């Protein structure tokens, strides 16, 4: 979130909580990306705040409610208030349960794989509209095509990224693979290690596609604990995800710490992979 918007976003979260009778004298920033995640005190509720134009909060709330009812490993909405989306001063605010972090804070690969499998099992029971994962590929290719939005990207690297995205999109699409509702970005940053076990957050990224697309966001050793997956498809999905996240890092407004350094490292891996294909 833009630095200039932070005070307004925090104020919107506190106002939304106060309107529901929750004491929110203090707001501690837990995470700041496209959404701002705050721990509100003393009510001890998590607030997720996003600009009205850049969110799908109602879908996220609906998914969280239904998956929680099924016992799927997702973070629950705040129990003391009616689940809803609150608009304040150009922002949407949703309120969630705060979970004490587990010690140690890392989720072991086997537990990670089990949580993702249980999440997918729950999502297979839901019939909700969601974009196909290829919509995200389209977004990455549009970013590459707009040189004003990616001014620092060398032309040779631009061609590499665009070619990789196009090639892997075709290769994955040509496979006769079952598809289902997915989390969309179940990477470690979206998995909480809690005293109740691992719980996924940030359901706004949900999409449809093969489970290997979700698994491609997890650490490599997680797949060692997954049965009945297509290893070749997983390999292609990992490269596709790598090409997408590399593309995002070249956006002129990207704010990921060390983003450009990471983008350079990832480009090196994609060049190696491209050389192997030739």
């Amino acid at each position: 979130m833009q630095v200039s918007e932070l005070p307004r976003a925090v104020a919107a979260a506190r106002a939304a909580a106060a309107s529901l009778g929750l004491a929110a004298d203090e707001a501690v920033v837990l995470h700041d990306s496209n959404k701002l995640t705050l721990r509100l005190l003393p009510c001890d509720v998590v607030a997720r705040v996003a600009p009205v134009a850049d969110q799908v909060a109602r879908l996220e709330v609906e998914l969280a409610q239904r998956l929680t009812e099924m016992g799927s490993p997702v973070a629950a909405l705040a129990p003391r208030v009616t689940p809803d989306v609150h608009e304040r001063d150009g922002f949407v605010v949703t309120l969630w349960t705060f979970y004490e972090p587990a010690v140690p804070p890392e989720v072991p690969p086997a537990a990670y794989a089990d949580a993702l499998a249980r999440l997918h099992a729950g999502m297979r029971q839901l019939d909700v509209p969601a974009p196909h994962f290829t919509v995200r590929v389209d977004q990455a290719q549009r970013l590459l095509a707009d040189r004003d939005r990616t001014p620092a990207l060398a032309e040779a690297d631009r061609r590499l990224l665009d070619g990789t995205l196009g090639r892997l999109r075709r290769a994955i699409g040509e496979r006769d693979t079952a598809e289902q509702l997915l989390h969309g970005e179940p990477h470690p940053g979206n998995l909480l290690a809690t005293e109740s076990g691992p719980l996924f957050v940030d359901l706004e990224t949900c999409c449809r596609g093969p489970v290997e697309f979700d698994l491609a966001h997890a650490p490599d050793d997680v797949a060692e604990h997954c049965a009945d997956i297509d290893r070749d498809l997983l390999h292609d999905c990992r490269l596709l995800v790598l090409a997408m996240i590399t593309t995002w890092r070249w956006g002129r407004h990207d704010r990921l710490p060390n983003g450009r350094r990471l983008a350079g490292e990832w480009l090196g891996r994609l060049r190696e992979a491209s050389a192997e294909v030739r």
Side-chain angles (χ1 to χ4, degrees), residues 75-90:
L77 291 149
R80 285 176 284 168
V81 296
T82 302
D84 206 350
V85 176
H86 311 277
E87 291 196 19
R88 290 287 189 285
D89 192 22

Side-chain angles (χ1 to χ4, degrees), residues 107-110 112-113 188 215 218-226 231 234 238:
V107 177
Y112 201 130
L215 189 54
D220 290 352
D221 53 2
V222 172
E224 298 173 9
H225 301 274
C226 298
R231 302 287 168 173
L234 176 59
R238 281 175 172 161

Side-chain angles (χ1 to χ4, degrees), residues 37-261:
T37 303
L38 305 166
R39 182 182 183 185
L40 302 179
L41 297 168
C43 65
D44 213 10
V45 164
V46 171
R48 289 164 59 80
V49 192
V52 169
D54 301 329
Q55 54 76 39
V56 286
R58 293 197 182 278
L59 174 61
E60 184 176 27
V61 166
E62 178 187 355
L63 286 173
Q65 283 183 275
R66 295 175 67 179
L67 289 167
T68 300
E69 290 169 358
M70 294 179 195
S72 296
V74 297
L77 291 149
R80 285 176 284 168
V81 296
T82 302
D84 206 350
V85 176
H86 311 277
E87 291 196 19
R88 290 287 189 285
D89 192 22
F91 295 96
V92 291
V93 181
T94 51
L95 300 174
W96 303 80
T97 299
F98 174 77
Y99 295 91
E100 289 291 345
V103 179
E106 295 80 17
V107 177
Y112 201 130
D114 176 69
L116 190 56
R118 290 189 290 121
L119 177 66
H120 285 158
M123 286 185 148
R124 279 195 292 273
Q125 301 180 52
L126 301 181
D127 182 18
V128 297
H132 198 258
F133 79 94
T134 51
V135 170
R136 206 166 302 168
V137 183
D138 293 338
Q139 293 169 343
Q141 290 190 292
R142 285 197 296 272
L143 182 61
L144 290 171
D146 191 339
R147 287 164 175 76
D148 289 338
R149 295 169 64 200
T150 52
L153 183 59
E155 289 305 307
D157 293 332
R158 191 184 305 275
R159 290 192 297 271
L160 170 65
L161 287 168
D162 188 61
T164 300
L165 290 168
R167 174 177 62 82
L168 291 169
R169 174 182 176 150
R170 290 189 298 273
I172 294 169
E174 290 169 358
R175 293 176 180 271
D176 185 19
T177 305
E179 297 187 344
Q180 66 158 82
L181 186 66
L182 304 173
H183 180 287
E185 291 185 358
H187 53 68
N190 283 333
L191 183 61
L192 302 180
T194 79
E195 295 178 347
S196 303
L199 300 173
F200 286 99
V201 298
D202 205 358
L203 299 172
E204 67 171 5
T205 57
C206 72
C207 60
R208 302 199 72 84
V211 294
E212 287 82 357
F213 180 77
D214 258 5
L215 189 54
H217 291 79
D220 290 352
D221 53 2
V222 172
E224 298 173 9
H225 301 274
C226 298
D228 302 323
I229 61 171
D230 185 327
R231 302 287 168 173
D232 291 335
L233 176 57
L234 176 59
H235 175 268
D236 284 350
C237 286
R238 281 175 172 161
L239 284 178
L240 179 71
V241 169
L242 182 62
M244 286 194 296
I245 63 175
T246 303
T247 298
W248 306 141
R249 301 291 75 79
W250 290 99
R252 67 186 307 165
H253 298 302
D254 185 69
R255 296 179 58 220
L256 184 74
N258 299 316
R260 289 296 167 82
R261 179 185 61 78

Side-chain angles (χ1 to χ4, degrees), residues 13-51:
R14 292 179 60 193
S19 71
L20 298 169
L22 299 175
D25 302 327
E26 183 182 358
V28 179
V29 176
L30 300 178
H31 187 66
D32 179 16
S33 58
N34 60 318
K35 262 186 183 177
L36 180 65
T37 303
L38 305 166
R39 182 182 183 185
L40 302 179
L41 297 168
C43 65
D44 213 10
V45 164
V46 171
R48 289 164 59 80
V49 192

